[in-house]
Amino acid sequence: MHAVDGVSFDLDEGEALGLAGESGCGKTTTALSLMRLLPYNGKIVSGSILFRGRDLVKVSDLRIRKIRWKEISIIFQGAMNSLNPVRNIGQQIAEPIILHEKVDEDEATNRVGELLELVGINRDRRRDFPHEFSGGMRQRVMIAMALACNPKIVIADEPVTALDVMIQAQILELLERLRKELHLSMILISHDLSVMAETCEKVAIMYGGKMMEVGKTVDVFTDPKHPYTQGLVAAFPDIRGQRTMPASIPGDVPSLINPPSGCVFHPRCKFAFDRCTAAEPALAEVTPGRRAACFLYPGVPEVTPRPMTVEAR
Amino acid sequence: MGATDAVVRSGVVSPFQASLRVALRRMQEVWARIRHSRTAMVGLAILVFFIGMAVFAPWVAPYGPIDRVADTSNCVPGVTCPLSPPSAQHPLGISEEGADIYSQVIWGSQISLIVGIFSAMVASVLGTAVGLVSGYMGGWVDEVMMRFNDVVLSVPWLVLMIVVAARIGTIDLLGLILVIGLTGWSITARVIRAQVLSVKERLFVERARMIGSSRSHILMRHIFPNAFPLIFANTILTVAVSILSEAVLAFLGLSIYNTVSWGKVINQAIGGGALVIGGNVWWLIVPGLCLVFLVFGFYLFGFALDEILNPRLRRR
Amino acid sequence: MARILKVMVRKGVNAAITIFGIICLNYALLRLMPGDPALSLTPRDPKYQGLAEYNRELFGFDKPPWEQFAIYLQRTVTLDWGVSYRLGLPVFDVLMRDLGWTLVLVGTSTVATIIIGMVIGSIAAQKRGKPFDILSTATGIFLYGMPIFWLGFLLLAVFEKGSIVGHYFTWWPALPSQGYYDDMLGPWSWDGAHLTSAAQHLILPALTLTLGTLAGISLVMRSSLIDVMTEDFVTTAKAKGLSDRQVLRRHILPSGLPPMVTLIALDIAFVIGGAYQVEVVFNYYGIGWETIQAIDNLDFPLLQFIIVVGGVAIVLANLVSDFILLLLDPRIKVT
Ligand SMILES: Nc1ncnc2c1ncn2[C@@H]1O[C@H](COP(=O)(O)OP(=O)(O)O)[C@@H](O)[C@H]1O
Ligand code: SF4
Ligand SMILES: [Mg+2]
């Protein structure tokens, strides 16, 4: 089964890209693929991930291990499960520092203290265990950990989904501030469009394991091209306003094991026509700076083998 | 909301019937998965073989379990007894008591299965009841039951069983089943209790309680159907343990007097010189292999079922 | 530290309650059965004439039940456990002597089982779905279902001095069994000859017990590690750039071990059950062997305290495991 297919985007230094889509559409899988971290039953079949001129799909295991966390780090959805319950947080934050940078224990402890303060936690709490923190604080610990080695790219996979609304705002502000201060590139994954509207220059919309539309955030939200994006945007009455859960588009999330033929969105698309069931649209430029995968736009080709390409400069 | 509610709402059925119905539907889904698990199917094939052996024993076995087929009163096993070693007529030889060992091995499957299955059922019902009540009630009821459970877990039952049996003098089938069943429930109780605690955490129980359902009602309608598959898998594994318990007791000399079980055959084989140079080794090996394979079958099936039913192992 | 002390006090109280429960249960079971307890505590053999009276006196069978119970409790606590009929020695002395050898056997094989089982289990978990995993899991389940006494007889048939295989192939490695050490060496002393002989006599029983209990550890080790491997923090650890070995050592094992400790403690009862069988098969004169002799001779004074000693051993093993668990898992608190 192909969980994710036809994914393609690029990310410039200091830029934030939003990856949006209903849950189960393959966002996490995409993020894991970027670091070559698919679980034991998954693998990257084809495609390339260009990072500073190197293809991460092809580099050796040793090399990718050196890139992980040092260059690209990740903040997962649930901070409770992403921290090891039986080791204290100081040990866990120090671990990548000691691994990637030849520093001694004292230096690492010092760095842990600075990182904790950076995210607003008292440095004396480094000996505490994850279960002794609240959900929001744990996510702060995760953020401190993600920044431990001054990475170029931070992937934040639904960083606030599990938190309550007040805390969500705090964490998002923290992320945004740190991104600006540290000139980080960021991939922010969420099913909540309003989160993206506030922080991301670019967004990529995913559906059923495929990328539907990619472009500048303002453009995509003000003038969505793809019918799925149109539905999503319509479901958010005011994207810049209150954060609410989107009213859903009629129909179900498609099965990735047995995907519909042609365009994955056609069973729920009100514009669907003959060609949509017969062939699958490829992601192609529909207006300058905007790509969409939909036959409504002239010049959108059908897919032949679909490479997964991700570029980061 | 729990699947049971839909069933209850949709027709005039009691909560108990509804919970059974949901449990049954679950079982059907599970059966579909079992058919795709090679481990489970191998286990099941082994079980079918031995169950067949037990059911058809009267037709398959050439002699009764304790029939004398030869006069062995003057035998010195392996030395002067010409009837001991395997022959065409008696494939596994003849025992010291003059019985056909091949027939005894076939009949033995009955005791192993009957004792194994029924005492596992006794243990499961008891363990499930204790686990459900203890986990659901919590508080001092849980505390008292768990302390009692600790005691039961810690007592060396093997010794106690033999002492009790020695005091009573003999043991019959029902006694054996009760002795093994009444002493084997404590692990089941713990497993079920843990499961109840986790199910209890889930919201729908909270909601059902707020609507004003009685405690027994919640137990039957929500918790039992959720725990049922686990109870089933656990019972299968308990059968394996019970079969082994019966064998150990028989080996140590505690068995039903007027019939045979594999453990008893092994006991007699050792007494009859199976291990002496020139002795009849098959007398020891064949019943042992039967035991090993039957238990292996239950374990394979039980473990595969557990893996199918235990969502933790299925995740990702 | 305060946390550990608090939890251990509570566990200690629970253990004491459990031991008290075992003592009560033992009292009830042996006394609620039909017949005169003084008589049934006494073998029917005429040579034990008078013992019934002695027992009636000793255990106060002619007194009202609560007084009987008080006497029984007092005797139990003061280790005044009466005299074994078979041996004519104080029960307490007999049990302590046997316990030493049983501990040697159970200790050796438990250590071997834990080490080997965990290594096999963790390799299988890492190679999930590969031949090693399939082979070790299938063998494990097979061994798990093998009656320990039968396994013992097989090993006896194959490896014992003067056994069937050794009889036909003289080059075959043959090991002594029957007893703790070679009787020809005379009473026990701490010299090379005794130690070597004791070690040789230990191999077959300990090997049987290890093989019989190994799978319990390795199978659960495998599944508990696989459980942990799917946790998000393991993905985090990999994302940090740790090698598979580092992930295993620093993250998977530390959080996979607590459930193992609980399991090993639960397994102790199973191991003790196995030790009975092994001691009988190999005539290793520990508590298990003594038990069977006591049953054959209806040596009830000995039997009733074998039950108490066995129960206490299991409770203590659990207490130790709770302590280790506390050190391994910072989340455990007094509930
Ligand atoms: N290890 C796996 N094995 C099989 N299917 C998987 C695995 N991991 C994820 N999937 C499937 O891939 C799809 C995408 O999942 P995911 O990337 O987690 O979506 P999202 O993060 O957008 O919610 C889901 O339908 C999920 O069922
Ligand atoms: S290709 Fe067809 S079905 Fe797919 S989104 Fe466009 S119009 Fe709808
Ligand atoms: Mg996700």
Side-chain angles (χ1 to χ4, degrees):
Chain A
M1 138 190 176
H2 289 247
V4 178
D5 213 344
V7 168
S8 163
F9 58 85
D10 56 321
L11 184 65
D12 282 313
E13 186 157 353
E15 193 176 48
L17 168 88
L19 197 58
E22 287 159 295
S23 76
C25 73
K27 303 181 298 290
T28 301
T29 309
T30 306
L32 292 177
S33 321
L34 293 182
M35 297 175 85
R36 282 216 341 231
L37 279 174
L38 292 179
Y40 83 107
N41 59 352
K43 74 170 203 232
I44 300 177
V45 181
S46 68
S48 59
I49 300 165
L50 296 179
F51 175 75
R52 305 192 142 191
R54 270 203 305 261
D55 185 353
L56 297 190
V57 175
K58 301 218 174 67
V59 299
S60 68
D61 282 352
L62 194 67
R63 173 112 270 151
I64 193 92
R65 282 201 347 246
K66 293 216 162 114
I67 289 171
R68 284 178 191 161
W69 222 261
K70 178 90 192 86
E71 310 282 351
I72 310 176
S73 63
I74 184 161
I75 301 166
F76 287 108
Q77 205 153 1
M80 185 64 208
N81 303 329
S82 308
L83 292 168
N84 189 331
V86 303
R87 305 187 65 204
N88 72 42
I89 61 156
Q91 289 171 325
Q92 297 189 59
I93 298 175
E95 188 169 34
I97 303 175
I98 294 168
L99 183 77
H100 290 289
E101 293 162 33
K102 306 276 163 281
V103 298
D104 61 19
E105 203 104 348
D106 288 343
E107 172 64 18
T109 310
N110 201 22
R111 285 273 295 281
V112 169
E114 286 167 15
L115 286 162
L116 285 176
E117 275 168 8
L118 188 66
V119 298
I121 295 178
N122 190 322
R123 63 163 70 210
D124 295 336
R125 295 204 65 186
R126 67 170 192 281
R127 282 198 201 83
D128 288 354
F129 289 90
H131 68 274
E132 293 167 301
F133 291 85
S134 68
M137 293 300 260
R138 256 183 252 134
Q139 198 57 288
R140 283 171 195 265
V141 172
M142 267 311 284
I143 293 171
M145 194 157 91
L147 299 177
C149 300
N150 300 315
K152 302 285 175 305
I153 303 178
V154 173
I155 303 173
D157 184 358
E158 316 235 11
V160 297
T161 306
L163 305 175
D164 62 50
V165 185
M166 288 295 293
I167 313 289
Q168 285 193 0
Q170 288 174 14
I171 297 288
L172 285 171
E173 267 160 38
L174 175 69
L175 266 180
E176 183 58 10
R177 176 167 68 76
L178 291 174
R179 183 173 78 88
K180 295 252 164 69
E181 274 172 23
L182 306 174
H183 289 284
L184 295 168
S185 305
M186 187 154 84
I187 298 178
L188 180 66
I189 298 177
S190 179
H191 56 250
D192 183 349
L193 294 190
S194 51
V195 170
M196 323 240 134
E198 284 165 20
T199 43
C200 303
E201 285 92 1
K202 276 197 287 199
V203 282
I205 311 290
M206 286 190 76
Y207 179 81
K210 309 227 155 57
M211 211 150 259
M212 298 286 107
E213 183 163 3
V214 186
K216 283 225 177 66
T217 313
V218 218
D219 302 348
V220 172
F221 287 176
T222 47
D223 176 24
K225 297 292 182 201
H226 195 283
Y228 175 61
T229 320
Q230 287 165 3
L232 268 188
V233 172
F236 280 87
D238 179 8
I239 279 182
R240 289 180 187 282
Q242 271 227 317
R243 222 168 264 120
T244 47
M245 292 295 285
S248 56
I249 305 166
D252 283 325
V253 182
S255 151
L256 300 184
I257 298 165
N258 189 10
S261 64
C263 172
V264 273
F265 189 54
H266 87 252
R268 292 164 77 184
C269 180
K270 54 185 176 197
F271 303 112
F273 57 106
D274 309 347
R275 195 172 166 210
C276 305
T277 45
E280 198 189 326
L283 194 60
E285 191 151 84
V286 291
T287 56
R290 183 88 67 88
R291 293 184 296 158
C294 173
F295 289 135
L296 290 177
Y297 301 92
V300 169
E302 291 170 9
V303 225
T304 34
R306 302 165 298 260
M308 166 171 161
T309 50
V310 178
E311 265 185 70
R313 273 158 265 161
Chain B
M1 214 59 201
T4 22
D5 286 274
V7 182
V8 174
R9 257 185 271 112
S10 66
V12 203
V13 285
S14 75
F16 181 71
Q17 279 175 311
S19 88
L20 265 188
R21 233 181 252 190
V22 171
L24 273 178
R25 210 175 53 217
R26 284 264 185 88
M27 299 303 281
Q28 281 170 359
E29 288 164 20
V30 167
W31 172 240
R33 286 233 199 76
I34 289 173
R35 278 204 314 257
H36 287 107
S37 158
R38 202 184 317 158
T39 320
M41 290 313 278
V42 171
L44 206 55
I46 295 174
L47 297 188
V48 167
F49 173 79
F50 281 109
I51 291 171
M53 186 192 273
V55 170
F56 297 108
W59 295 277
V60 179
Y63 305 95
I66 48 171
D67 285 358
R68 270 182 181 273
V69 297
D71 179 18
T72 48
S73 42
N74 297 318
C75 253
V76 180
V79 182
T80 60
C81 191
L83 294 170
S84 286
S87 62
Q89 210 190 344
H90 304 292
L92 293 178
I94 289 171
S95 79
E96 254 187 322
E97 275 86 36
D100 175 45
I101 298 168
Y102 172 71
S103 302
Q104 286 192 323
V105 167
I106 291 174
W107 284 104
S109 61
Q110 286 191 342
I111 294 298
S112 283
L113 278 168
I114 291 174
V115 172
I117 291 172
F118 283 97
S119 45
M121 278 163 68
V122 171
S124 266
V125 169
L126 210 62
T128 302
V130 171
L132 282 177
V133 170
S134 177
Y136 187 74
M137 301 284 279
W140 66 269
V141 177
D142 183 35
E143 191 65 28
V144 169
M145 281 186 157
M146 283 302 110
R147 290 289 77 72
F148 185 60
N149 195 7
D150 276 352
V151 174
V152 174
L153 260 178
S154 311
V155 167
W157 285 109
L158 194 66
V159 184
L160 206 60
M161 278 187 235
I162 302 176
V163 173
V164 170
R167 280 287 302 276
I168 298 171
T170 72
I171 194 156
D172 59 5
L173 186 60
L174 183 67
L176 197 57
I177 288 171
L178 286 181
V179 156
I180 297 176
L182 291 180
T183 55
W185 55 271
S186 45
I187 299 228
T188 307
R190 282 201 178 187
V191 172
I192 301 300
R193 175 176 173 271
Q195 173 76 2
V196 172
L197 288 182
S198 83
V199 172
K200 210 167 106 176
E201 289 306 308
R202 286 186 222 156
L203 251 176
F204 66 84
V205 176
E206 281 309 316
R207 247 193 285 169
R209 184 184 298 147
M210 276 187 266
I211 292 168
S213 333
S214 74
R215 286 190 156 190
S216 61
H217 175 86
I218 297 173
L219 207 62
M220 284 324 291
R221 237 167 91 182
H222 298 281
I223 294 183
F224 184 69
N226 269 291
F228 189 78
L230 187 84
I231 296 169
F232 188 74
N234 199 65
T235 309
I236 303 267
L237 293 176
T238 312
V239 174
V241 176
S242 305
I243 290 174
L244 286 177
S245 297
E246 186 279 330
V248 172
L249 288 179
F251 160 69
L252 292 176
L254 180 64
S255 49
I256 308 166
Y257 74 99
N258 60 354
T259 185
V260 288
S261 75
W262 291 329
K264 192 173 179 179
V265 174
I266 293 175
N267 178 328
Q268 293 176 348
I270 298 302
L275 275 181
V276 178
I277 310 286
N280 178 7
V281 233
W282 302 112
W283 193 0
L284 171 70
I285 291 183
V286 176
L289 277 182
C290 284
L291 260 175
V292 169
F293 272 100
L294 179 60
V295 172
F296 185 56
F298 274 110
Y299 274 146
L300 273 189
F301 188 60
F303 281 138
L305 209 57
D306 197 41
E307 193 139 338
I308 288 170
L309 300 173
N310 187 347
R312 284 183 318 157
L313 294 179
R314 268 191 285 139
R315 197 175 48 190
R316 283 214 185 163
Chain C
M1 277 311 109
R3 175 185 72 106
I4 292 182
L5 199 68
K6 249 189 204 158
V7 179
M8 283 319 288
V9 165
R10 152 123 196 188
K11 298 277 179 190
V13 170
N14 279 354
I17 296 174
T18 310
I19 289 175
F20 183 72
I22 293 168
I23 292 173
C24 294
L25 192 71
N26 188 40
Y27 175 83
L29 280 170
L30 287 172
R31 259 148 267 241
L32 293 181
M33 275 180 287
D36 176 357
L39 280 180
S40 60
L41 268 177
T42 315
R44 291 180 186 70
D45 195 317
K47 85 177 176 212
Y48 292 114
Q49 283 273 297
L51 253 181
E53 285 322 301
Y54 172 77
N55 276 326
R56 202 184 303 281
E57 178 95 8
L58 189 66
F59 292 103
F61 289 128
D62 43 3
K63 307 236 165 63
W66 63 268
E67 209 170 319
Q68 264 188 50
F69 184 66
I71 291 171
Y72 162 82
L73 257 188
Q74 189 215 338
R75 295 213 169 273
T76 308
V77 175
T78 54
L79 308 180
D80 181 6
W81 294 353
V83 174
S84 152
Y85 303 145
R86 187 175 76 86
L87 299 161
L89 295 169
V91 166
F92 183 75
D93 297 354
V94 174
L95 287 181
M96 287 307 121
R97 186 195 63 194
D98 294 344
L99 196 61
W101 287 100
T102 297
L103 282 181
V104 169
L105 172 63
V106 170
T108 315
S109 70
T110 302
V111 170
T113 304
I114 291 174
I115 294 175
I116 302 171
M118 287 195 169
V119 169
I120 293 180
S122 51
I123 297 178
Q126 275 180 295
K127 301 201 183 295
R128 185 180 182 187
K130 306 241 173 73
F132 180 90
D133 178 30
I134 294 168
L135 199 73
S136 69
T137 305
T139 316
I141 297 178
F142 199 74
L143 275 177
Y144 200 51
M146 198 171 280
I148 291 180
F149 66 88
W150 188 69
L151 181 65
F153 282 124
L154 287 193
L155 291 179
L156 204 59
V158 176
F159 289 112
E160 204 204 11
K161 240 180 205 155
S163 72
I164 299 174
V165 176
H167 178 76
Y168 295 108
F169 306 98
T170 43
W171 48 266
W172 190 254
L175 288 163
S177 84
Q178 315 297 324
Y180 318 126
Y181 54 89
D182 200 337
D183 286 341
M184 311 294 261
L185 293 173
W188 177 258
S189 68
W190 291 96
D191 55 27
H194 276 89
L195 284 173
T196 318
S197 176
Q200 286 176 340
H201 277 73
L202 187 62
I203 294 178
L204 279 182
L207 180 67
T208 309
L209 198 49
T210 304
L211 283 178
T213 52
L214 186 62
I217 303 289
S218 70
L219 291 176
V220 176
M221 182 77 181
R222 171 184 178 273
S223 71
S224 100
L225 288 191
I226 285 178
D227 258 14
V228 176
M229 279 173 186
T230 61
E231 297 275 0
D232 287 340
F233 66 79
V234 172
T235 317
T236 308
K238 283 186 196 151
K240 283 177 174 174
L242 299 176
S243 67
D244 285 353
R245 276 188 53 170
Q246 287 168 323
V247 175
L248 183 78
R249 253 205 357 255
R250 298 191 199 168
H251 292 275
I252 299 177
L253 285 180
S255 32
L257 284 184
M260 287 307 294
V261 175
T262 315
L263 174 92
I264 290 169
L266 275 179
D267 227 39
I268 296 283
F270 182 65
V271 173
I272 291 180
Y276 279 100
Q277 303 171 44
V278 167
E279 287 184 5
V280 173
V281 170
F282 293 98
N283 280 318
Y284 198 84
Y285 311 129
I287 294 231
W289 185 86
E290 197 71 70
T291 308
I292 304 304
Q293 300 308 311
I295 288 166
D296 283 350
N297 294 285
L298 292 181
D299 193 347
F300 280 108
L302 193 54
L303 280 173
Q304 66 173 343
F305 286 102
I306 282 177
I307 294 170
V308 172
V309 167
V312 170
I314 293 172
V315 173
L316 291 184
N318 275 304
L319 206 56
V320 171
S321 92
D322 282 333
F323 182 67
I324 297 173
L325 210 55
L326 266 174
L327 297 182
L328 289 179
D329 192 337
R331 285 168 297 182
I332 298 174
K333 283 199 264 274
V334 186
T335 41

